[in-house]
Amino acid sequence: MAKYDIDLVVNAAPHIRDKVNTSSIMRDVVLALIPAMVGSIFIFGERVIVVYLVSIVSSILAEYVGNLLFHKNSSLKDFSVVVTGVLLAMTLPPSSPWWMVVVGAFSGILLGKMIFGGIGSNPFNPALVGRAVLMVSWPTYMTTWDKPRFFIGFPFRVLSLDAITSATPLNVVQLQSYSQLISEFGSKLNLYTSLFFGTVGGSIGETSAILLLIGAIYLFIRKVIDWKIPTFYIATVFVLSFVFGRDPIFSILAGGLFLGAFFMATDYSSSPKTPLGKIYYGIFLGIMTVIIRQFSSYPEGVMFSILLGNALVTYFDKTMPRVYGVFPKKEVSK
């Protein structure tokens, strides 16, 4: 009987583990956000560094307080709180006062994450919860946009700007008209070029499509995010904007669509797990974004669309439950 005297430990699933863990995933997300962060400093000035620092430090402090309040082990080493701090800062206006950033960080971490049990249990994206609290509490601060320090036009030229504040392109379309926006930029090509490089008014990290795309490509290569959610999200906005008579290229380049589609809608904790669920989720986000932009008083629709989608993730996953314990058909046929 001695030869069967073996110490065995039986644990709950998962039993198959990988080198990839929460810390490595979050580090990749932070690396992917660096191009847009650096670009925002050039576009809006060094003052946005303060917003980034206050948001990150406040988020770390809020997570520490949350761990104490809810009697949880320290979760600061997994970098998820740094991602939340960076994303929150990127959704705020460049002139955001420091105290408002602190309130947004504590709201996002405590109400959007810790109260549900911490990372992996939060149904909503914490950064967007923090932004939503600020949006309904101080709408004036949240809709005061700084003008970029320079303008990139077509053919490529860089002009310095003297104005201090400016409406976002979506604001101009909402309050005036698309033709008025074209006249302000001189031509449609100038508008597209400015949106592509990010030299327009808007939130700190949402304006530059090219810098966000660079980060997204890095995440695709590292297999951190799946292509389905952002692809169907952006494609739905493109098609529906055309149906409603809006410029589809302008609609996908303007506002926070790229930031939301690549870095927020793909949040592991608050997005569907099944392939078909991800497709339905992306289409739903696109429909809601266009509906809000077209029919509501809000010129942007990304934040509310993703939060609404987060609330319905369980239903999207039920559309195609994932079966565990079997091999894919291709592997079986081999």
Side-chain angles (χ1 to χ4, degrees):
M1 296 295 291
K3 63 180 180 180
Y4 301 109
D5 188 16
I6 303 174
D7 290 332
L8 296 176
V9 178
V10 178
N11 288 326
H15 301 295
I16 300 175
R17 298 184 183 276
D18 193 272
K19 293 180 180 178
V20 178
N21 54 36
T22 303
S23 299
S24 65
I25 291 171
M26 293 301 159
R27 278 198 297 269
D28 278 335
V29 176
V30 172
L31 289 174
L33 288 170
I34 286 178
M37 292 173 65
V38 174
S40 66
I41 296 170
F42 277 101
I43 293 169
F44 295 111
E46 294 78 7
R47 57 186 164 176
V48 302
I49 297 176
V50 177
V51 180
Y52 279 121
L53 290 177
V54 172
S55 182
I56 294 171
V57 173
S58 301
S59 297
I60 293 173
L61 184 59
E63 182 110 347
Y64 178 76
V65 172
N67 285 330
L68 293 179
L69 288 176
F70 296 101
H71 307 290
K72 298 184 70 66
N73 296 326
S74 175
S75 53
L76 299 177
K77 294 182 180 178
D78 61 24
F79 288 98
S80 63
V81 67
V82 177
V83 172
T84 300
V86 173
L87 287 177
L88 174 64
M90 297 179 89
T91 64
L92 300 178
S95 58
S96 299
W98 66 268
W99 54 265
M100 194 177 77
V101 181
V102 173
V103 174
F106 270 79
S107 301
I109 294 296
L110 294 180
L111 301 180
K113 181 179 177 182
M114 300 307 295
I115 199 170
F116 294 103
I119 185 170
S121 302
N122 52 295
F124 300 99
N125 184 292
L128 288 181
V129 171
R131 187 181 193 277
V133 170
L134 299 181
M135 192 70 191
V136 298
S137 302
W138 295 284
T140 302
Y141 282 116
M142 291 295 289
T143 53
T144 301
W145 309 103
D146 291 15
K147 205 152 191 168
R149 295 193 301 179
F150 55 89
F151 164 79
I152 299 177
F154 186 89
F156 294 107
R157 54 198 167 88
V158 178
L159 302 174
S160 297
L161 298 176
D162 297 325
I164 297 175
T165 61
S166 168
T168 68
L170 286 172
N171 275 121
V172 175
V173 173
Q174 178 86 359
L175 300 175
Q176 299 179 53
S177 66
Y178 184 61
S179 58
Q180 174 63 32
L181 179 66
I182 297 296
S183 67
E184 288 186 7
F185 279 83
S187 70
K188 191 176 286 189
L189 273 178
N190 271 334
L191 173 62
Y192 290 165
T193 307
S194 299
L195 290 171
F196 192 68
F197 287 102
T199 55
V200 296
S203 296
I204 290 173
E206 72 176 19
T207 61
S208 178
I210 178 63
L211 297 178
L212 292 169
L213 279 173
I214 291 172
I217 291 171
Y218 173 77
L219 293 181
F220 284 133
I221 293 174
R222 295 282 295 167
K223 297 182 179 179
V224 172
I225 62 174
D226 188 282
W227 62 273
K228 297 183 187 68
I229 293 175
T231 302
F232 279 90
Y233 187 0
I234 294 171
T236 303
V237 171
F238 186 92
V239 173
L240 278 187
S241 296
F242 178 77
V243 170
F244 281 109
R246 301 171 74 102
D247 182 344
I249 298 177
F250 165 75
S251 296
I252 64 171
L253 292 177
L257 181 60
F258 278 24
L259 179 64
F262 292 116
F263 294 96
M264 294 178 169
T266 54
D267 175 32
Y268 285 9
S269 299
S270 56
S271 63
K273 307 295 182 295
T274 64
L276 198 56
K278 292 177 181 179
I279 293 173
Y280 288 159
Y281 177 68
I283 294 173
F284 174 82
L285 298 183
I287 293 172
M288 292 308 302
T289 298
V290 175
I291 287 176
I292 292 172
R293 288 181 177 182
Q294 184 72 20
F295 299 107
S296 78
S297 59
Y298 285 98
E300 179 61 278
V302 173
M303 177 185 72
F304 289 118
S305 299
I306 295 178
L307 290 176
L308 284 171
N310 291 161
L312 298 173
V313 161
T314 304
Y315 297 98
F316 291 123
D317 271 337
K318 284 184 177 178
T319 58
M320 184 60 74
R322 184 172 183 177
V323 180
Y324 292 97
V326 297
F327 290 105
K329 291 182 178 178
K330 291 182 179 179
E331 295 185 22
V332 173
S333 62
K334 290 178 181 177

